[in-house]
Amino acid sequence: MFRPLFRPLWLLLGFTSLALGIAGIVLPLLPTTPFVLLAAWAFANGSPRLHAWLLANRSFGPLIRNWEEHGAISPRAKAFAIVSMAGVFAASWIMGAPERVIIIQAVILPATSLFILTRPSGPKPPAA
């Protein structure tokens, strides 16, 4: 009923989230996956065509489908995320980042890692 009225807001949220997700590929502490998933959700509400385009994307499509269908993160993506976060923390420590940055990372990165590690790794097995 109100979907056409909110369509510009869904698109704005989708494009902004996608841009942040892409930026997160190269910027430490800016996560890629949550922003890409948020973009997919926003596009699903605002533009089925853009949602389909994102699902068809070679890099993001499998990640989004796995999350939408199973609430899962692949073991490979989990490993990459954990190793990346550990690398960012180590680099910050070695390069002498300000103490407040190290403290923020010491709180946020383990919490994020815990969330990632507690997600299913793939499709749920069929109920017996």
Side-chain angles (χ1 to χ4, degrees):
M1 180 172 136
F2 294 105
R3 193 170 294 242
L5 186 66
F6 290 109
R7 186 171 190 268
L9 295 175
W10 290 123
L11 293 176
L12 178 63
L13 178 63
F15 283 119
T16 302
S17 298
L18 185 58
L20 289 170
I22 291 169
I25 294 170
V26 294
L27 297 175
L29 281 183
L30 188 62
T32 298
T33 302
F35 285 118
V36 171
L37 293 175
L38 181 60
W41 178 74
F43 287 153
N45 285 294
S47 172
R49 182 179 60 85
L50 287 171
H51 184 252
W53 169 79
L54 202 52
L55 285 172
N57 182 277
R58 195 179 76 180
S59 298
F60 298 135
L63 176 140
I64 295 166
R65 277 190 301 281
N66 202 21
W67 182 260
E68 286 182 347
E69 295 170 8
H70 310 288
I73 300 172
S74 73
R76 182 175 180 222
K78 286 181 183 184
F80 182 75
I82 301 302
V83 168
S84 297
M85 286 187 277
V88 165
F89 186 77
S92 297
W93 186 279
I94 291 167
M95 294 183 345
E99 186 177 329
R100 68 183 176 280
V101 171
I102 299 296
I103 292 169
I104 290 168
Q105 288 180 350
V107 171
I108 292 174
L109 295 178
T112 305
S113 297
L114 182 62
F115 176 81
I116 290 169
L117 291 172
T118 58
R119 299 306 96 198
S121 292
K124 296 176 182 144

